[in-house]
Amino acid sequence: MNFTIQNVLISTDTGYVRVDVQIEGDAIANIAADLEAKGTIIDGTNKLLLPGFVNAHTHSSEMWQRGLISPYPLELWLTQLYDFPPVEIEQIYLSALGTATETLLSGGTCVVDHLVLIPGQEMETIAATVRGYQEIGIRAFIGPLIYDRDLEEGIPDGGKNREIKDGCWTTEWVLELLQAAIEKFHHPEAGISIMAAPTGTQLCSDALFKGCIELSDRYNLCRHTHLLETKAQQKLAQEKYGCTAVEYLDSIGFLSDRTSLAHCIWLNDNDISCLAKNQSTVVHNPLSNLRLGSGIAPILKYRQAGVNVAFGCDGAASSDGQDMLEAIKIGTMLHNITDFEYRRWIDPQEAVKMASLGGATGINLGDKIGSLEVGKKADCVLYDLTNLSLLPRTDPIGLLVFGRPNQVVDSVWVNGDRVVAAGKLTHIDLEKLRQDLFKYSDWTRDRKSVTTEKVEAHYRRIMGLEND
């Protein structure tokens, strides 16, 4: 369908202007005042139109563990996460719907899903996720979370020569799985893209990383991985490679302008320069970084060095939601305490640009989405400025970023398709989704993890913590 959004506010370099915006097919066809109406007319009075945000790093299936795991650092948190019994394929589908719903209703139009796979049902996991995202209408980049080393290999050992243990998948099998997923599910024109997404240097062999590079080059895919989320991972990289993890990834050719890297907390100045040189993107996940005590990513340093930065919610087991506006708010204000030079602080307009164009750039779509420009794809969000949480009438973007916006999204278009109208999803029944999520969950899950008890003493010793 075609749309004309009349008399709507858009942001400019100097403030706000009222214009008409026309969407024809999948693209923005015109932006100007007093356009001749075409297609469905949308009253944009007292509304703000922004480009859609990119939820640039999450794990959709973690929806089933949100709010459950006690405060732990990442390495111990992972043992809790992986002690949970595998979810069912239907739950994978529902968690994709739930992740997409929360992203859409907080201003996101695209999700980057570092997808945890059910062992033995790997292709079925991907298929269920694809089905959920296509039904709801969100743009999705799916990176099957692959690794070929045992979970315990992700903790440093103090430089000892320990035995390397294979994970549940062999390197060859994992790469064959990724290629099969690409050939079956990679359809960017239909809104679904597959990424080459090894979980991180802590759990992946050289051969797996190099295989991912080859596949991403062959099929022109984006690359995605976790990078130096914790101090322990920084120690482990030095043990494994004798250099930083960034230097290692640069040496094998993994870094590029099609590469996005989640977290990036424990990098030095040379690492930052390396990311800038390779035009790689840092995905800032402030909520999970705080919850897991991982640290504060030096986002202001990245921006000064010319590194592209995007925002992600991370999986809901470590962030407890998929609210893009919450992630943007925390990720914007958090850095004011890291640098007394206030001229380097992130203002609301810059934060919105990071979340939209920054996110689009990280998935190699900066020329197609991420800003309101004629000819770009119509991935955009209409906000209701009469909502109580966006009053009084001061600065709409300031209120979105620094305020506490609540149910402020009126409409969302993805690729020209209006997937939210009057605050409601247009392609799925939200009430049925609520009922299904309720049906598959309960409040009586045993929280005790035997694996955590086994790993904790080793972790405390390596990290220099006194054992009680």
Side-chain angles (χ1 to χ4, degrees), residues 185-200:
F185 299 113
H186 184 61
H187 300 294
E189 71 286 349
I192 300 293
S193 298
I194 300 297
M195 311 175 84
T199 185

Side-chain angles (χ1 to χ4, degrees), residues 7 53 83-84 107 125 128 187 229 276 343-344 372 392 409 463:
N7 197 37
F53 305 140
D83 262 5
F84 287 108
T125 303
H187 300 294
E229 185 173 354
R343 293 178 181 177
R344 289 194 282 263
L372 298 179
V409 171
M463 298 306 293

Side-chain angles (χ1 to χ4, degrees), residues 26-336:
D26 63 358
I28 298 173
N30 210 340
I31 302 174
D34 302 320
L35 293 173
E36 180 182 352
K38 295 181 180 178
T40 301
I41 299 173
I42 308 293
D43 185 4
T45 305
N46 299 321
K47 293 182 174 66
L48 172 71
L49 189 70
L50 291 178
F53 305 140
V54 177
N55 187 354
H57 176 72
T58 191
H59 310 279
S60 61
S61 63
E62 286 186 14
M63 171 167 283
W64 298 100
Q65 288 87 35
R66 69 178 180 179
L68 184 61
I69 302 177
S70 297
Y72 275 111
L74 175 73
E75 286 74 20
L76 301 180
W77 174 89
L78 282 171
T79 64
Q80 291 266 336
L81 185 70
Y82 283 94
D83 262 5
F84 287 108
V87 297
E88 301 175 16
I89 290 297
E90 181 68 10
Q91 289 176 278
I92 294 291
Y93 161 72
L94 292 172
S95 57
L97 289 180
T99 297
T101 296
E102 293 189 352
T103 297
L104 289 167
L105 295 180
S106 59
T109 53
C110 179
V111 61
V112 175
D113 191 351
H114 208 177
L115 181 64
V116 180
L117 306 175
I118 300 176
Q121 295 182 289
E122 293 85 2
M123 289 294 281
E124 292 88 345
T125 303
I126 301 170
T129 304
V130 168
R131 178 165 67 96
Y133 288 147
Q134 286 185 322
E135 285 185 8
I136 202 167
I138 199 169
R139 191 183 298 276
F141 280 69
I142 299 171
L145 190 149
I146 52 177
Y147 52 92
D148 60 353
R149 290 290 180 260
D150 185 80
L151 185 62
E152 292 184 22
E153 297 299 311
I155 299 179
D157 64 359
K160 298 177 182 178
N161 294 319
R162 64 182 169 190
E163 180 184 356
I164 300 298
K165 301 177 183 178
D166 290 333
C168 61
W169 301 312
T170 66
T171 308
E172 295 75 17
W173 187 89
V174 168
L175 292 173
E176 289 173 2
L177 169 71
L178 178 57
Q179 181 166 352
I182 294 165
E183 293 174 350
K184 184 169 184 179
F185 299 113
H186 184 61
H187 300 294
E189 71 286 349
I192 300 293
S193 298
I194 300 297
M195 311 175 84
T199 185
T201 56
Q202 66 275 16
L203 294 177
C204 298
S205 67
D206 292 0
L208 181 54
F209 265 104
K210 290 174 181 177
C212 286
I213 294 168
E214 192 279 325
L215 285 172
S216 67
D217 287 344
R218 189 194 316 172
Y219 292 98
N220 193 32
L221 305 179
C222 291
R223 303 169 189 163
H224 187 71
T225 193
H226 298 90
L227 179 63
L228 295 178
E229 185 173 354
T230 66
K231 183 69 172 177
Q233 290 176 7
Q234 183 191 52
K235 289 174 175 283
L236 181 64
Q238 288 291 339
E239 289 179 11
K240 287 180 69 173
Y241 309 121
C243 62
T244 72
V246 173
E247 290 169 336
Y248 165 71
L249 292 179
D250 187 34
S251 71
I252 63 173
F254 188 80
L255 303 178
S256 75
D257 60 357
R258 289 183 285 120
T259 303
S260 58
L261 307 156
H263 303 292
C264 297
I265 298 173
W266 295 92
L267 277 63
N268 62 35
D269 289 345
N270 288 335
D271 292 337
I272 295 172
S273 297
C274 185
L275 296 188
K277 176 191 70 176
N278 286 284
Q279 298 180 286
S280 298
T281 292
V282 168
V283 182
H284 188 25
N285 303 276
L287 297 169
S288 63
N289 295 345
L290 291 171
R291 193 192 198 284
L292 302 177
S294 300
I296 299 176
I299 298 304
L300 301 184
K301 280 189 174 183
Y302 292 135
R303 285 167 52 82
Q304 285 178 262
V307 177
N308 182 56
V309 179
F311 287 106
C313 289
D314 207 352
S318 63
S319 67
D320 306 292
Q322 296 295 295
D323 189 324
M324 280 298 298
L325 290 168
E326 181 181 39
I328 294 166
K329 175 178 180 175
I330 297 298
T332 299
M333 299 173 65
L334 179 63
H335 306 283
N336 296 359

